[in-house]
C-alpha cells in the first residue's frame, strides 16, 4: 500500500555520503582505464563496466556531472579495434570460395558481428566497421557469406546424391549412408532445395 510505496521512495533516495561514495567509484573506474592509444581488445570488460557504473550513477537522483572524456575516448578506441578485427575476419572469408569446411568460421564471424553491433548499440558508439548487415547493401554483409556457405553445402550434397548408384552393392552401402547423413545435416530450408529434385530421388532409389 501507501506505506510500502513511501518506504520504497525513501530507500531510493541515497544519502549524501552514499552519493559521494558512488561518485568516487565512478571516477576511479574511469581513471583506471588505459589512455586512448593504449586501449586493446582485452580492455572491453573494464571499459563497459566503467560505462555501466557511470550510467547507473547518472540515473541516481542527486548525482552530479562527472568528467567522461577518458571513458568516451576508451569507448571510441575499443570500437576502432573491434571494427578492424571484424573487418579482417570478414575479408579473410570473403576472398575465399566457401565450402562446408568454412561453416565454423562463418559462425564465428556471425558471433563477432553480433557482439560488435550490440556494443555499438548498447554504448551509443558510432560503428565504423565496413562489415554490416544493412538491408540496402550486401557488399560487406555477413548474411551474404552465410548464403554463400548455405549454397555451397547444398551443392556438395547434391553432388554426392548424383553419384549414387541406383542399385548399390553391399560395398557401396557406406556411400549411401554417408549421402543420407550429409542430407540430414542440412538445415530445413537447404533440404527444401533438394527434396523434390532428381538427385534426391537418386538417394531414395539407392536406399
Amino acid at each position: 500500500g501507501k506505506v510500502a510505496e513511501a518506504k520504497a521512495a525513501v530507500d531510493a533516495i541515497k544519502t549524501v555520503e552514499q552519493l559521494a561514495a558512488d561518485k568516487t567509484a565512478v571516477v576511479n573506474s574511469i581513471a583506471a582505464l588505459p589512455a586512448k592509444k593504449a586501449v586493446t581488445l582485452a580492455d572491453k570488460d573494464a571499459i563497459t563496466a566503467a560505462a555501466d557504473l557511470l550510467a547507473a550513477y547518472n540515473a541516481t537522483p542527486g548525482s552530479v556531472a562527472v568528467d567522461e572524456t577518458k571513458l568516451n575516448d576508451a569507448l571510441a578506441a575499443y570500437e576502432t579495434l573491434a571494427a578492424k578485427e571484424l573487418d579482417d575476419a570478414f575479408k579473410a572469408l570473403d576472398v575465399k570460395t566457401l565450402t562446408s569446411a568454412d561453416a565454423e568460421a562463418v559462425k564465428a564471424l556471425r558471433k563477432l558481428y553480433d557482439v560488435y553491433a550490440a556494443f555499438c548499440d548498447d554504448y551509443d558508439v558510432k560503428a565504423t566497421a565496413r562489415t554490416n548487415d544493412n538491408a540496402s547493401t550486401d557488399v560487406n554483409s555477413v548474411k551474404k557469406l552465410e548464403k554463400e556457405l548455405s549454397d555451397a553445402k547444398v551443392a556438395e550434397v547434391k553432388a554426392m546424391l548424383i553419384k549414387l548408384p541406383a542399385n548399390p552393392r553391399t560395398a557401396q552401402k557406406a556411400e549411401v549412408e554417408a549421402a543420407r547423413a550429409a542430407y540430414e545435416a542440412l538445415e530445413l530450408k537447404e533440404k527444401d532445395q533438394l527434396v523434390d529434385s532428381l538427385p534426391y530421388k537418386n538417394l531414395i532409389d539407392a536406399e
Side-chain angles (χ1 to χ4, degrees), residues 38 83 120 168 203:
C120 292
L203 175 62

Side-chain angles (χ1 to χ4, degrees), residues 3 7 11 16 23 38 55 67 75 108 120 127 137 143 163 179 189:
V3 176
K7 184 178 183 307
D11 288 345
V16 174
K23 182 185 176 185
D67 185 355
L75 284 164
C120 292
T137 173
K143 285 181 192 163
K163 287 181 194 164
K189 64 179 190 288

Side-chain angles (χ1 to χ4, degrees), residues 100-164:
S100 57
D102 296 304
E104 287 306 313
V106 172
K107 197 187 288 183
L109 177 69
R110 164 55 65 193
K111 187 176 179 187
L112 203 59
Y113 173 80
D114 287 347
V115 168
Y116 168 80
F119 166 81
C120 292
D121 196 38
D122 292 346
Y123 295 98
D124 204 19
V125 181
K126 180 175 166 47
T128 63
R130 284 175 55 76
T131 306
N132 63 73
D133 268 344
N134 188 330
S136 65
T137 173
D138 74 346
V139 176
N140 294 302
S141 166
V142 180
K143 285 181 192 163
K144 179 190 82 160
L145 295 187
E146 287 170 335
K147 183 174 187 318
E148 283 177 20
L149 173 68
S150 180
D151 290 347
K153 284 162 63 185
V154 171
E156 286 170 26
V157 174
K158 193 175 184 178
M160 285 179 84
L161 302 184
I162 287 169
K163 287 181 194 164
L164 292 176

Side-chain angles (χ1 to χ4, degrees), residues 14-22:
K14 295 208 170 191
T15 64
V16 174
E17 290 83 3
Q18 283 173 316
L19 269 173
D22 288 352

Side-chain angles (χ1 to χ4, degrees), residues 84-95:
K84 184 180 186 308
E85 179 189 34
L86 176 62
D87 286 344
D88 287 350
F90 177 88
K91 278 183 251 177
L93 286 168
D94 196 35
V95 296

